[in-house]
Amino acid sequence: MKFLFLKMHVIWRRFRHGLQARYEHHGEHGPQLEVLMRRADPDAAWHDRANWMIDVAEWVRHQPKVSLLDAEGWRRVKHQRVRAMLDWLDAHRDIRRHVQGCLQKTLREASGPELFSVTGLPHEPAFFTELTERAFKMVLPRHLSPSELPTLFAAMFPDPDDAEWLLELDQELQERLWKLAADDGISHTYWQQIEEALTYLTTVVVADGISPAFRQRLDPKIPLQATPFMALRREMEAYLRASPHDEGALRSARMLIAVCQAQTDRIYAHLDEYGVSVSLVYRIERMRAQLTRMGRLIDVRSATWREPETGRGAGRVQLLLADLIAAHHSRSSVRSLVRRSFALLARKMVERSADHGEHYIARDRAGYRAMLKAACIGGVVTAFTVLGKIALAKLGLPHFFDGVFASINYAVSFLVIAALGGVLATKQPAVTAPALAAKMGELDTVDGLRALIGETAMLLRSQAAAIFGNLIAVIPTMLLMTAGFLLASGATLMTPEKARAALHSLSLVGPAPLYAALTGILLWLSSLAAGFADNWFALRRLREALAHQRRLVHALGAARAARWAIWLERHVATIVGNVSLGVLLGMAPVVAEFFGLPLDVRHVTLATGTLVAAGASLGWDIVTTPAFWLAVSGIVLIGALNVGIAFLCAMALALRAREIPARIRRVVFRAVLRRFAASPWTFLFPEKAASTAVKPVPSESKVEEEG
């Protein structure tokens, strides 16, 4: 058993460290190279030769996990290893012939066009297909075969940092490596494969460029043959027929590539205005990457290794190889694909949320009073929501149907609040945070910082007004409902057991804070659903479709159908946001219980109504008990967590979508904290008319020092 464990330990070490562990016991390059280079066998199978090449690359790029050298120092070490390897081979001519034969035979048998046209480029036609392929490549082992040179290339350079040290190789080392690995026949074959890769990439770009999805967002009236993409096909055919040094054909090809790249910018502008499609963004990003790769290949084809005095050809090939390494690792990342494809959608959703959020900011005392009145309407309606929640609990429905009816109860309540012009507390942060991030994106002076601090204070005052208004209205309304139910039926609204359980569920020392944080996340998710619905409505051009829908026009008339379509476009985000929030609040506990998670939701206004109903059912004596005041403290924390978590999630997404620099974020947050420490009441209550001026902020020099 002891020897079995020792064997397993050795196998695990070899699996973790690879074949490089064979050479780590040597202290000098000579013995290591002696062991490594004598393994070169031109007559071995292709897999054996490919694995030997991977081992050579591992020896060159190997560095321990703990080292006193920085990144630049290790790049110099790798260059020294390359030079030592070449010098050692020059000193051992017999072994050099075997190494050269092994390298050249492997490269001659491998298929090259895929290396230039596929490596690092998304080649699947759809976003989710590409996402699935990347996920499978992360977990499945790689397969080496002569027809998959990109796999061998990726195995030899598995680290994104390999591109940096490869770029810093001097011209002498590049030429010596090229003479070792290739001859004139291999050079000619790879130049042909570069031309094949250009043909393939041109075909794919043209196919996407003339597709209906692209043409409808450019100019559908332009004849197909007059589009820049068809012109690119003609110019690339002429360039590939001409000499690599034909300057006229070269300039025309580069010019058409630049024109096609400009066309992708026009499509982005159209998406930015009319709505974003993740699938189309993926195809645009794929076309951009393909056009960039075409430019790299044209640079390599126009250069030549037969001009060593200029170093032009070596440098172009060096740039191409570094670009292949960087692009391969970028393409292997699922995170980078999602980030690139969803970046524009996130920004569009943030901008639409910011447009809606501007209406929820009270900018003066009159706006503060209007926010209080709207919040009072929301509080009154929420009291009826609590009443419906208590009634559903008495029915004793199965948990799933209890969640369904709770979702309907919440959704109808939120829609009624929106229809009456009311405001529900804690819904605002998710839509007002993007408005604040938009102001941060425009920050460039001290005056801009001062205005941003004032905007932050107004935003937080608006949150406070909404919470105050909800609580001011929900408490007396709930008391009146409880008294009316007692007079009408002679019984309390809640049984003593249910009332005590409700108090315990809101206690500060229970799980209520965790549930409140979860509710903040759900509030933010509902704002994302609203922004997504708004973007989807604009992308599908549903306003025009509904305004001219034949049956709708026949039933309502043309003018009324147009007005109804405009109204739906204006309110689709509100409808979807409220319905999604109701479904999330109602079904989240059901889904959590399905997975065995004891989770629930806690909303400050709903929790306050529940507390009032439970306290009224137990009598006035409950006010003197610690359980009641623990529940009151819990509601205070619930409100803070609802607002804070929703605001932080929305702000983080908005800052990432707008690419606000970290320096500006630090300056703003510090200035806001100083303002809050100096006058905290200005963040809760409106300032008097005589003191509406914003408090002074640090001088410009101080701001620059902090940045």
Side-chain angles (χ1 to χ4, degrees):
M1 183 64 67
K2 178 179 178 181
F3 291 106
L4 177 62
F5 280 115
L6 288 174
K7 284 184 177 181
M8 293 175 62
H9 179 68
V10 171
I11 293 172
W12 171 247
R13 283 177 56 86
R14 289 180 178 178
F15 180 78
R16 284 190 61 192
H17 301 289
L19 297 178
Q20 182 62 35
R22 297 185 183 183
Y23 318 110
E24 288 182 351
H25 64 279
H26 297 296
E28 300 293 335
H29 292 327
Q32 298 176 16
L33 290 169
E34 179 79 23
V35 175
L36 185 61
M37 294 302 164
R38 288 190 179 277
R39 287 180 47 212
D41 183 8
D43 298 326
W46 193 91
H47 286 83
D48 295 334
R49 286 180 272 123
N51 285 321
W52 171 77
M53 291 175 63
I54 295 173
D55 293 341
V56 172
E58 284 185 357
W59 179 83
V60 171
R61 53 178 297 277
H62 175 73
Q63 65 184 67
K65 295 184 179 297
V66 179
S67 173
L68 298 178
L69 292 179
D70 56 5
E72 184 178 356
W74 273 111
R75 287 196 293 270
R76 289 196 297 267
V77 169
K78 293 170 185 176
H79 297 164
Q80 293 170 2
R81 288 176 180 170
V82 173
R83 189 178 299 277
M85 179 184 68
L86 294 173
D87 292 341
W88 190 91
L89 289 174
D90 289 341
H92 300 77
R93 291 289 177 177
D94 53 339
I95 299 180
R96 177 188 170 89
R97 284 193 296 271
H98 286 280
V99 169
Q100 191 171 23
C102 185
L103 287 173
Q104 293 182 1
K105 185 177 181 181
T106 304
L107 293 179
R108 195 176 289 111
E109 293 176 356
S111 177
E114 289 78 13
L115 174 65
F116 305 116
S117 60
V118 174
T119 302
L121 297 181
H123 58 277
E124 294 296 333
F127 168 77
F128 289 103
T129 309
E130 180 74 18
L131 185 65
T132 304
E133 184 194 5
R134 294 194 187 192
F136 280 136
K137 284 189 174 181
M138 291 177 62
V139 297
L140 296 179
R142 62 174 181 258
H143 171 65
L144 292 175
S145 69
S147 62
E148 295 184 0
L149 187 57
T151 307
L152 175 59
F153 183 80
M156 292 180 64
F157 302 101
D159 195 330
D161 295 335
D162 292 334
E164 297 183 9
W165 70 264
L166 191 62
L167 271 176
E168 295 179 2
L169 283 176
D170 57 43
Q171 184 181 348
E172 177 196 358
L173 288 178
Q174 295 174 45
E175 293 178 354
R176 292 176 68 185
L177 285 172
W178 182 258
K179 291 178 181 178
L180 178 67
D183 54 16
D184 291 340
I186 294 177
S187 300
H188 179 71
T189 300
Y190 275 86
W191 296 141
Q192 286 183 333
Q193 292 173 349
I194 286 177
E195 294 181 351
E196 293 175 10
L198 281 170
T199 303
Y200 168 79
L201 292 173
T202 303
T203 304
V204 176
V205 168
V206 172
D208 271 336
I210 64 176
S211 64
F214 277 53
R215 294 191 65 199
Q216 289 174 2
R217 288 164 176 83
L218 293 171
D219 193 350
K221 296 182 180 180
I222 295 181
L224 189 63
Q225 293 297 327
T227 59
F229 298 99
M230 295 300 291
L232 174 66
R233 180 181 65 84
R234 293 190 293 269
E235 291 298 333
M236 286 302 301
E237 289 176 352
Y239 169 70
L240 292 176
R241 286 195 301 267
S243 168
H245 305 290
D246 188 337
E247 293 295 333
L250 179 62
R251 282 195 299 269
S252 298
R254 286 176 173 168
M255 182 189 69
L256 262 299
I257 289 176
V259 171
C260 291
Q261 289 173 335
Q263 296 298 305
T264 62
D265 294 334
R266 289 184 57 191
I267 298 175
Y268 265 129
H270 185 279
L271 292 177
D272 201 28
E273 182 178 357
Y274 294 103
V276 178
S277 166
V278 173
S279 175
L280 193 57
V281 169
Y282 164 76
R283 292 176 61 185
I284 296 172
E285 287 293 328
R286 183 179 68 165
M287 179 181 286
R288 283 176 176 248
Q290 290 165 345
L291 290 170
T292 302
R293 178 63 56 79
M294 289 172 63
R296 294 281 192 201
L297 296 178
I298 287 175
D299 289 341
V300 173
R301 186 177 183 270
S302 63
T304 177
W305 283 89
R306 298 184 181 278
E307 297 179 2
E309 67 277 0
T310 62
R312 185 182 174 190
R316 296 287 172 80
V317 174
Q318 188 180 17
L319 284 173
L320 175 62
L321 294 178
D323 181 67
L324 291 176
I325 295 173
H328 164 73
H329 290 287
S330 176
R331 183 179 180 269
S332 300
S333 171
V334 173
R335 181 181 178 184
S336 65
L337 173 66
V338 174
R339 184 177 65 248
R340 287 197 309 269
S341 299
F342 281 88
L344 188 60
L345 176 61
R347 185 163 65 87
K348 177 54 62 179
M349 291 169 62
V350 163
E351 288 175 355
R352 293 185 184 276
S353 296
D355 294 338
H356 293 292
E358 288 288 343
H359 304 297
Y360 290 95
I361 300 178
R363 301 192 174 278
D364 50 23
R365 295 176 69 85
Y368 192 88
R369 288 193 296 269
M371 184 65 66
L372 276 174
K373 293 179 182 178
C376 287
I377 297 174
V380 172
V381 178
T382 305
F384 287 93
T385 310
V386 175
L387 185 63
K389 181 181 177 183
I390 295 172
L392 288 172
K394 291 183 177 181
L395 295 177
L397 297 172
H399 201 51
F400 174 79
F401 292 101
D402 187 30
V404 171
F405 284 106
S407 301
I408 296 174
N409 181 34
Y410 292 142
V412 171
S413 172
F414 299 154
L415 290 174
V416 170
I417 291 174
L420 296 177
V423 169
L424 180 67
T426 69
K427 278 194 65 180
Q428 298 163 287
V431 292
T432 51
L436 183 62
K439 299 294 189 300
M440 292 179 67
E442 302 168 0
L443 181 64
D444 54 358
T445 63
V446 174
D447 291 336
L449 178 62
R450 186 178 293 113
L452 180 60
I453 296 174
E455 190 80 14
T456 306
M458 287 187 289
L459 186 149
L460 295 178
R461 283 199 298 269
S462 304
Q463 315 301 324
I467 294 177
F468 294 157
N470 278 176
L471 300 186
I472 289 172
V474 74
I475 293 174
T477 306
M478 206 68 231
L479 287 173
L480 289 174
M481 287 182 178
T482 306
F485 186 83
L486 180 62
L487 292 175
S489 63
T492 57
L493 193 61
M494 303 174 69
T495 63
E497 294 78 11
K498 292 286 186 180
R500 292 190 183 93
L503 287 179
H504 178 72
S505 68
L506 300 175
S507 177
L508 177 66
V509 296
L514 174 63
Y515 299 160
L518 173 63
T519 306
I521 297 176
L522 298 181
L523 290 162
W524 170 65
L525 290 176
S526 69
S527 72
L528 289 186
F532 182 82
D534 200 4
N535 173 79
W536 181 82
F537 197 94
L539 178 66
R540 301 296 176 179
R541 299 185 178 182
L542 290 183
R543 191 189 71 178
E544 294 85 351
L546 292 173
H548 298 91
Q549 212 278 334
R550 290 172 57 86
R551 293 187 179 181
L552 197 62
V553 170
H554 179 72
L556 302 177
R560 190 173 297 173
R563 288 196 301 268
W564 186 81
I566 293 173
W567 179 90
L568 187 60
E569 182 186 36
R570 189 180 302 119
H571 295 91
V572 64
T574 303
I575 296 172
V576 173
N578 286 312
V579 172
S580 63
L581 180 59
V583 173
L584 288 171
L585 293 179
M587 295 302 295
V590 178
V591 176
E593 186 182 20
F594 177 80
F595 289 102
L597 300 175
L599 296 179
D600 206 343
V601 294
R602 293 290 183 272
H603 186 275
V604 59
T605 311
L606 295 169
T608 303
T610 304
L611 174 63
V612 173
S617 300
L618 292 172
W620 290 104
D621 294 339
I622 195 64
V623 179
T624 62
T625 62
F628 177 81
W629 293 107
L630 283 175
V632 172
S633 303
I635 285 178
V636 174
L637 184 58
I638 287 171
L641 288 174
N642 285 167
V643 173
I645 297 298
F647 182 83
L648 288 177
C649 291
M651 178 62 79
L653 178 63
L655 293 176
R656 182 179 293 274
R658 292 183 178 274
E659 299 180 351
I660 305 297
R663 178 183 61 84
I664 294 180
R665 281 181 265 172
R666 289 195 299 267
V667 170
V668 172
F669 291 154
R670 291 173 185 172
V672 170
L673 288 177
R674 282 195 296 269
R675 170 73 182 277
F676 183 80
S679 55
W681 294 109
T682 59
F683 287 82
L684 299 177
F685 302 102
E687 298 176 295
K688 296 180 180 180
S691 61
T692 53
V694 183
K695 301 291 182 183
V697 296
S699 63
E700 185 173 359
S701 60
K702 196 168 186 179
V703 171
E704 293 175 353
E705 290 175 1
E706 291 184 355

